[in-house]
Amino acid sequence: MRTQLSPKQLTVDGSAEASGRSGVTRVLVVDDSPTMRRLITAELDEDPQIQVVAQAADALSARDAVVAHRPDVITLDVEMPGMDGLEFLRRLMSRRPTPVVMVSSLTAQGSEKAIEAMSIGAVDCVGKPSMLELDDAFAQLRQKVKTAANARIEALSRPEVLPPKTGELRHSTDFEPNDRVIFIGSSTGGVDAIAKLLSSFPPNCPPTVIVQHMPRGFTQNFAKRLMRITAPDVFEAKDGDILRPGLVMIAAGGEQHLEITGRSRLVCSYRDADPVSDHRPSVDVLFRSVARLGSRAIGVILTGMGHDGAEGLLEMRNSGAATIGQNSQTSVVYGMPKIAAEMQAVEQEMALDRIGSRLLELCSEG
């Protein structure tokens, strides 16, 4: 029997409650596994700037904990008894938008649901470790939780529901692409941002390559979701893939960097190397590999924490490329675009809902 939870049951008084300790991120851990709750709590308690204020095993007890403790961040399992994590997330975001970090297994089913969760409004996701990986469990969890606490959650509180791909989306348009190619880098908040940006692209969009910081196994499902809801063809990039109009390629998450080789015919090329700017694949590596294209390339840096992509975007601009950064008002985390702007790597800074149309203008000019 499914737990019945009305949206009103998630309503919380709008008054703010001060954190238990000044400057401390207060966290609610939601997972149906007692072992996983203990692991997550132990990992978070290692950081003096994080306090786990409550645990919950299902949506009903999570609802009660939200009302009682008003956490700054919630870690949320995808699959739970009764109401699943996705339905709980939808109701939470509609009634009391709260930063959420999904904690999902790296199975195909779990990762697809994690992508859906981030499109609903979750700030980020972390893969659950296997029993053989407990020594390195949740290596990034603490940082993701602290980042989520500072996210502009109102940007995700009412996510746009994009329609599935239809024949109407697939028909030809008046857009005629020139020879320019688009390269995009994003991190926290990027799942929602990229979907909204690509929703303005026609089926014959300019060749587009994206590095979105995600764990291994998630990017393939991210590409599949974009393929369903946007007009262009979207795939996880493979070594040797050729860039062409109408095709959007997502760099595979994992242990390699994606570079673009060739000149007249541009080709995806993966290489093994240490993380760059704390990431692999790195936005900086992608951007640096295309700086040689000069004005043929267009660089875009979207929402995300850290500095990955800023130096590479500066190299692109210095080589003659047009460069665009997402503004602070529409960024979930104004980190990567802020640093790029401070380095004068950004030629134009604008709201997310204007970036897509601007890119099409640049790619249709003579």
Side-chain angles (χ1 to χ4, degrees), residues 1-5 29-34 36-37 56-63 76-89 113 128:
M1 181 176 179
R2 289 180 61 84
T3 304
Q4 297 299 314
L5 248 161
V29 175
V30 184
D31 197 294
D32 64 336
S33 164
M36 195 56 61
R37 291 198 302 273
D58 54 39
L60 187 61
S61 55
R63 183 282 314 270
L76 181 62
D77 189 13
V78 175
E79 297 180 338
M80 296 188 297
M83 179 184 293
D84 67 19
L86 297 183
E87 181 60 26
F88 177 79
L89 180 64
K113 288 187 176 182
K128 286 184 179 179

Side-chain angles (χ1 to χ4, degrees), residues 7-86:
K8 289 185 178 179
Q9 287 178 290
L10 279 172
T11 303
V12 177
D13 190 323
S15 61
E17 176 181 303
S19 297
R21 292 174 289 173
S22 176
V24 171
T25 298
R26 304 170 70 254
V27 180
L28 165 64
V29 175
V30 184
D31 197 294
D32 64 336
S33 164
T35 300
M36 195 56 61
R37 291 198 302 273
R38 287 195 296 270
L39 282 171
I40 295 171
T41 299
E43 174 69 20
L44 295 179
D45 281 343
E46 289 291 321
D47 193 319
Q49 295 180 323
I50 299 174
Q51 177 190 17
V52 175
V53 295
Q55 299 180 16
D58 54 39
L60 187 61
S61 55
R63 183 282 314 270
D64 293 340
V66 169
V67 173
H69 298 281
R70 295 186 175 93
D72 301 314
V73 177
I74 299 172
T75 69
L76 181 62
D77 189 13
V78 175
E79 297 180 338
M80 296 188 297
M83 179 184 293
D84 67 19
L86 297 183

Side-chain angles (χ1 to χ4, degrees), residues 231-242:
D233 290 330
V234 186
F235 298 100
E236 185 181 67
K238 306 298 182 187
D239 196 69
D241 281 349
I242 299 171

